[in-house]
Amino acid sequence: MRVLLVGNPNVGKSVIFSRLTGIQVVVSNYPGSTVEFKQGFFKIDEAKCEIVDVPGVYSLEATNEAEEVAVRMLEKGDVVICVMDATRLERGLPLALQLLERRKPMLVALNIYDEALHRGIHLDVEALESILGVPVVPTVAVTGEGIKELVSRIPRARVPAVPEVAAEERWQRIGQIVASVQTITHRHHSLRERLEDFSIHPVGGILLAALIIAAAFVFVRTLGEGLIEYGVEPLFEDLYKPVLLRLGDALGDGTLLHEILIGKRIDGDINFVESFGLLSTGLFVPLGMVLPYILSFYLVLGFLEDSGYLPRLAVLVDGLMHRVGLHGYAMIPTILGIGCNVPGILATRILESRRERFIACTLISIGVPCAALHAMIFGLVGERGVQFVLIVYGTLFLVWVSLGLFLNALVKGFAPELFIEIPPYRRPLPSVVLKKLWMRLKGFLKEAVPIVLLGVLLVNLLHVAGAFNTVARVCAPIVSRLLGLPQDAVVALVIGFLRKDVAVGMLVPLNLTDKQMVVGSVVLAMFFPCIATFVVMMRELGWRDMLKSVVVMVCFSILVGTALNGLWPA
Amino acid sequence: MVESVDLVQMQTGQSGVLAFVEGGKGVTCKLDALGIRPGSSVTKISHALGRGPVVLRVNGTDVALGFGMAKKIRVCVSRNGGGKP
């Protein structure tokens, strides 16, 4: 049996899915957090059932891609669980009635039921059941309330006799249903509502946004730095290094194995950034430099996502985003891209047109450094002075804006408008936020660390084989004349294709001047997407658009690197 | 006295009854699915600076609409009916 979870965006379908299957999925408080359908299994009385989490839709009229997917999925399902937001009955009923007309066995999960009660919205569940002719179960998916009951009533899903009606008639019916099952008591303007209105106020909202962004930045920076200084660095330096040194002595300094595992000794000591062995730099970069920032970034992001603030930010930046050929909601993939470009690129699916997706993907992969890159820039450029970090970010921001203006003028096509439902503010549940953080950290450890190790291994092997000299010589004119970087920096640019954090680390032993370090970091950030981003972009955009995007990136990065190099005061 | 204005002209905080949507089937379908249709009562919550989006409260939910879309939606309001509904 195949069960489908269908409902409006942001009603908690993924939370129910996660409850039923035990599969952990990223859930947030904004419409469109699920962009691809997910499948899993659960049991009803020992019988194995398949369940599909269908991306949220408002209707089955199939006016956009997500709705087309939902309609197609519907044909393949045996039972439909229509998930509705109990605080917004009117919003969910049009879809519920359309689903009933499709004559699939159905039941309703009246989710977010606790909040409805809290807000003084009383629903007569029995009356709703008899009007719709299908089981209706109140649920609170985040705490698991009502989920057992929901499962136990799946076998009782029914096909009621509902005639297919015209839209006009359906709306009338919705009005009648709401009037007969819903009573609202005490609706005073709460503090939460005041805050909701203030955060989209044309002036106050912008001030609040600036404050929130600044606070988020300070928090990420302080926590990341603190974790490094008082957590991982002492661990690496005081506990791990002596072990590694002893291992190195056993292997013998200068042997091939020592070179690959531990790397070069610097004045007889191991330097975790410069030594470049698998067990030294290969572990220190992802765990000692990047992981603390990934942790602090995703902690803040999790709170922002679950609070419901992000769609409001989208409203505030809509005007600016239109200049670069996007609309405000493109802010969400962009912010996700700050953590890692891969989920950022995936999230561009919430944008309607191909044109927007192309622009958004290109802008994210060229102008939005991922957390790994941020960590390296903070750490390695930052130790030379804050002003250099500011130059790197200032340049990347200018690139983002000017490339956006350029693409907006150049890429043909229709520019759709912002059209989103803004969710209410909700207090993020620490358990949900921490679970999401853990999933993302696990993802980083499982996916990024092996690639870092592979990158470090490859560098060592190619170094031993002497292959870099050839590449370096071929690229020398561009790298040294235009960008003003030493020939060896080519190697870092090449490795940037695997992992950008490793690549920035490779710039350190080159004894670069401040200017070269800044140019190198900027070019690395812009030059080419890392392999993971490359693969997702290829899948999402198709190879033709991907190729166009890459040409834009390579040209722009060389142009910007050359300009920085030329304009730098002597 | 009742007059018809578009969502951009409508004042923040003002309420009214949606009269009609100028535009093709695509736009009307999209709006319709969110209950933004002739006859619904709507309240304008905010309007970002310049050609920014308009935020509308309809059926107890807030919906943000781009400037161009907001221009296409006409609402009947009473002339001196500013403020709360």
Side-chain angles (χ1 to χ4, degrees), chain A residues 241 245 253 258-259 262-277 280-281 505 508-511:
Chain A
K241 196 193 258 181
L245 278 170
D253 195 2
H258 186 284
E259 197 79 344
I262 291 159
K264 282 185 192 54
R265 299 263 186 123
I266 287 149
D267 302 327
D269 196 14
I270 293 170
N271 179 315
F272 279 119
V273 178
E274 295 185 33
S275 287
F276 235 80
S280 55
T281 308
V508 175
L510 302 179
N511 291 320

Side-chain angles (χ1 to χ4, degrees), chain A residues 241-540:
Chain A
K241 196 193 258 181
V243 180
L244 210 55
L245 278 170
R246 212 167 307 155
L247 176 71
D249 291 338
L251 291 171
D253 195 2
T255 58
L256 183 66
L257 212 55
H258 186 284
E259 197 79 344
I260 289 175
L261 289 181
I262 291 159
K264 282 185 192 54
R265 299 263 186 123
I266 287 149
D267 302 327
D269 196 14
I270 293 170
N271 179 315
F272 279 119
V273 178
E274 295 185 33
S275 287
F276 235 80
L278 274 179
L279 297 178
S280 55
T281 308
L283 289 180
F284 184 73
V285 166
L287 304 180
M289 298 184 78
V290 175
L291 188 65
Y293 275 105
I294 299 257
L295 187 142
S296 56
F297 173 77
Y298 278 127
L299 183 63
V300 172
L301 182 69
F303 270 100
L304 284 178
E305 282 178 331
D306 288 8
S307 67
Y309 183 67
L310 296 182
R312 293 176 169 82
L313 189 61
V315 169
L316 293 173
V317 298
D318 186 58
L320 171 76
M321 297 299 267
H322 269 290
R323 300 282 165 90
V324 299
L326 298 168
H327 63 60
Y329 219 39
M331 199 60 195
I332 288 187
T334 307
I335 289 178
L336 291 178
I338 299 175
C340 168
N341 281 186
V342 172
I345 303 278
L346 276 178
T348 60
R349 289 190 186 175
I350 57 176
L351 305 173
E352 299 96 293
S353 74
R354 259 199 95 69
R355 172 185 193 266
E356 282 179 291
R357 297 196 63 200
F358 173 76
I359 296 178
C361 287
T362 308
L363 288 183
I364 288 170
S365 61
I366 200 167
V368 180
C370 63
L373 200 50
H374 283 298
M376 299 305 277
I377 292 171
F378 285 163
L380 300 177
V381 181
E383 68 186 11
R384 291 161 181 258
V386 185
Q387 70 273 30
F388 300 118
V389 177
L390 289 178
I391 297 174
V392 171
Y393 282 101
T395 311
L396 287 177
F397 181 70
L398 278 180
V399 166
W400 187 89
V401 173
S402 48
L403 182 63
L405 292 171
F406 174 75
L407 289 176
N408 186 27
L410 202 73
V411 183
K412 285 190 199 72
F414 166 65
E417 295 213 51
L418 181 74
F419 181 56
I420 49 164
E421 189 180 357
I422 303 177
Y425 276 141
R426 298 202 168 106
R427 188 173 300 142
L429 285 177
S431 60
V432 176
V433 172
L434 289 178
K435 206 192 225 171
K436 185 152 73 169
L437 175 67
W438 173 236
M439 277 168 60
R440 284 167 159 163
L441 289 184
K442 239 180 10 197
F444 170 77
L445 292 175
K446 276 211 301 238
E447 279 150 36
V449 177
I451 301 180
V452 171
L453 291 174
L454 180 72
V456 173
L457 181 67
L458 208 66
V459 171
N460 281 308
L461 293 180
L462 291 176
H463 209 75
V464 172
F468 279 141
N469 293 336
T470 329
V471 185
R473 231 173 295 133
V474 174
C475 305
I478 292 181
V479 171
S480 52
R481 288 221 197 105
L482 292 180
L483 305 178
L485 295 173
Q487 269 192 28
D488 288 343
V490 174
V491 182
L493 287 177
V494 174
I495 289 304
F497 181 58
L498 277 178
R499 283 290 301 181
K500 301 213 172 182
D501 41 10
V502 179
V504 177
M506 289 178 70
L507 295 176
V508 175
L510 302 179
N511 291 320
L512 302 181
T513 61
D514 293 338
K515 175 183 89 173
Q516 289 174 323
M517 193 69 199
V518 168
V519 173
S521 306
V522 168
V523 172
L524 257 177
M526 295 174 57
F527 187 55
F528 204 82
C530 72
I531 187 156
T533 312
F534 185 83
V535 170
V536 196
M537 268 181 89
M538 181 94 122
R539 205 178 71 198
E540 296 296 309

